[in-house]
Amino acid sequence: MKLKEWAFLFGFIAIGIITTNLIGYNTPITDSLMGVLILCSIAFIAVCVSKIIPLRLPMIIYCSILGLLIASPVSPIGDFVSDAAGNIDFKAPLTMVGALAGIAIGASVREFTKLSWRIVVVALVVMASTFIGSVIIAQIVLNITN
Amino acid sequence: MEEGYQSIADRVKKEYKIYISAFSVLILSELIGEIEVNFGPGMLILFPLFYGIIIGVLLGPDLIGFFKNEEVEAASPLVLVAIAPFIVNIGITAAQDLPLLISVGPALLLAEFGNLFTVLIALPLALFLGLKREAVGATHSINRETNLALITNVYGPNSPELRGTLAVYIMGGLFGTIFFGFLASLVASTDLFHPHALAIGAGVGAGIMMAAATTSLAHIYPAYADDILALGGAGDMLTGMTGLYAAIFIALPLANKIYQLLEPRIGRKKKSTVKKEETDYEA
């Protein structure tokens, strides 16, 4: 995807986030504006960085690292960025994610109904044991290192 | 990711239906708002995120048919665009919780090995239910995009292993988000685990599942909400970086070992759908 297209799509997503923040969390548009601008700008920078750096890491990782660096205490604009982003409820970007993800997996339904019930059981156990396994290890290590 | 659009205008012309629908679904979902349902010991907390998924799936080509296959395909890269600002926000939250992240660093790193539980628990179960080589693909990890790529690479696009991986991938896509939100609240209700441990576990390697699990957890433990977000996000980021290597060097070899060991004992008599190619997997 070209950078211009990313920029355009981030614009669309930004409108979605502002709308969610308005309807779902009663935050006036003017309060959301700067926060959304910052989130989408950093995401856009992450896209640029992922295109420049030759490591084949997912773009999402750059988003996370850049967000952390720009808001960290060593960053001169850290406080400003944290305050502005604080106006965006953390759940606000997710409604648009859900809507698009739903549309994106809409064609998997038929494939899904073809699967035997056995794989459905296995899949649920896979998801549950991954989560519970990690929680147990985290709990044990936290107890030890506390 | 290369859709080959000529220009932004071209993209809008092909995708406008997705934009308008996603936006309408968003407004509708927000108007419904959050709903809490007590469900056994756990709590099913329904967030607008879930309504979005459900309505989106309903509109798809297999059900109502409002969207055609090409549009469904075009929506995939848009999910990545939409989740990017969310992940940035998590990074910003993490910056304020940096001392916490450093103090729980070992737990965050080691939680990756929780994935091995998946192999140990789900693989024997899959064999018991009569799955053959499909079981190795299905249970070597939580099977997100990176695993799909890995298994395709190791076993090939027509392998039973990939069928297994694909099956769990589809299940995760359709139900993973809702299941994870519920699972997190269910496990939290046991009171056996510290909210920090639960949050670390939520970073399983799929942004949207992490989002659902941390959202539920933040709702249950409002006092820890910021910590939960920071830890879930950090866990997810680490899994994104280490998960592939953990799968290649630990989980997949382990899954193959257990398969060799257990399949002759608990595998159903039914002949494998795979015939005798079972030996060349380590190539």
Side-chain angles (χ1 to χ4, degrees), chain A residues 1 5 8 19-20 24 61 64 68 82 90-91 95 102 104-105 107 109-110 112 118-119 130-131 134 137 139, chain B residues 5 11-12 23 30 34 57 62 72 86 91 96 111 114 118 129 141 167 171 173 175 193-194 201 215 229 237 241:
Chain A
M1 216 151 52
E5 297 180 81
F8 164 74
T19 311
T20 311
I61 289 185
S64 184
L68 196 138
S82 301
F90 86 96
K91 280 176 278 183
T95 312
I105 57 181
V109 178
R110 190 158 297 154
F112 174 75
R118 293 183 180 91
I119 196 85
T130 304
F131 175 67
S134 300
I137 292 182
Q139 177 78 31
Chain B
Y5 288 117
R11 177 180 273 277
V12 174
F23 199 74
E30 284 305 331
E34 289 174 20
V57 170
D62 289 352
V72 167
F86 171 75
Q96 287 135 48
T118 317
L129 290 174
S141 77
M171 270 292 286
F175 297 112
F193 304 104
H194 192 274
T215 303
L229 284 179
M237 187 177 89
M241 292 195 275

Side-chain angles (χ1 to χ4, degrees), chain B residues 1-266:
Chain B
M1 283 298 280
E2 226 36 75
E3 293 88 14
Y5 288 117
Q6 299 294 316
S7 62
I8 291 176
D10 188 32
R11 177 180 273 277
V12 174
K13 216 174 105 195
K14 301 253 169 60
E15 296 183 349
Y16 73 96
K17 211 164 128 190
I18 302 177
Y19 304 151
I20 296 170
S21 316
F23 199 74
S24 317
V25 169
L26 173 141
I27 292 175
L28 183 68
S29 303
E30 284 305 331
L31 289 174
I32 302 172
E34 289 174 20
I35 301 172
E36 271 180 41
V37 190
N38 285 313
F39 198 92
M43 201 195 314
L44 196 56
I45 308 159
L46 299 173
F47 297 103
L49 159 73
F50 302 150
Y51 317 143
I53 295 179
I54 293 164
I55 301 170
V57 170
L58 286 177
L59 293 173
D62 289 352
L63 295 164
I64 294 174
F66 177 73
F67 287 115
K68 309 218 167 42
N69 274 309
E70 313 90 80
E71 287 157 336
V72 167
E73 262 165 49
S76 270
L78 301 182
V79 179
L80 183 70
V81 182
I83 206 161
F86 171 75
I87 303 287
V88 170
N89 206 2
I90 295 265
I92 292 174
T93 313
Q96 287 135 48
D97 262 323
L98 221 45
L100 172 73
L101 289 184
I102 292 164
S103 75
V104 303
L108 266 172
L109 279 173
L110 291 169
E112 177 67 54
F113 292 101
N115 201 19
L116 300 183
F117 278 66
T118 317
V119 184
L120 295 174
I121 296 168
L123 183 54
L125 173 81
L127 292 176
F128 181 73
L129 290 174
L131 299 179
K132 299 292 174 189
R133 290 297 301 172
E134 291 85 351
V136 171
T139 65
H140 84 284
S141 77
I142 193 150
N143 288 299
R144 301 324 304 156
E145 283 76 2
T146 40
N147 305 110
L148 218 51
L150 171 68
I151 298 296
T152 314
N153 207 256
V154 176
Y155 297 102
N158 281 316
S159 58
E161 289 85 354
L162 187 67
R163 275 205 299 279
T165 299
L166 207 56
V168 178
Y169 175 77
I170 294 172
M171 270 292 286
L174 287 177
F175 297 112
T177 307
I178 295 166
F179 185 62
F180 257 90
F182 176 60
L183 190 66
S185 89
L186 196 67
V187 177
S189 72
T190 63
D191 267 338
L192 289 170
F193 304 104
H194 192 274
H196 287 167
L198 291 166
I200 292 172
V204 285
I208 195 165
M209 293 183 196
M210 181 273 287
T214 48
T215 303
S216 293
L217 290 171
H219 193 93
I220 298 167
Y221 304 105
Y224 286 99
D226 275 356
D227 291 9
I228 287 169
L229 284 179
L231 290 171
D236 202 50
M237 187 177 89
L238 281 172
T239 312
M241 292 195 275
T242 60
L244 191 61
Y245 304 100
I248 296 173
F249 295 113
I250 305 172
L252 215 43
L254 180 72
N256 278 312
K257 263 272 151 330
I258 296 178
Y259 183 86
Q260 281 175 320
L261 211 68
L262 290 184
E263 201 279 330
R265 277 163 217 174
I266 59 172

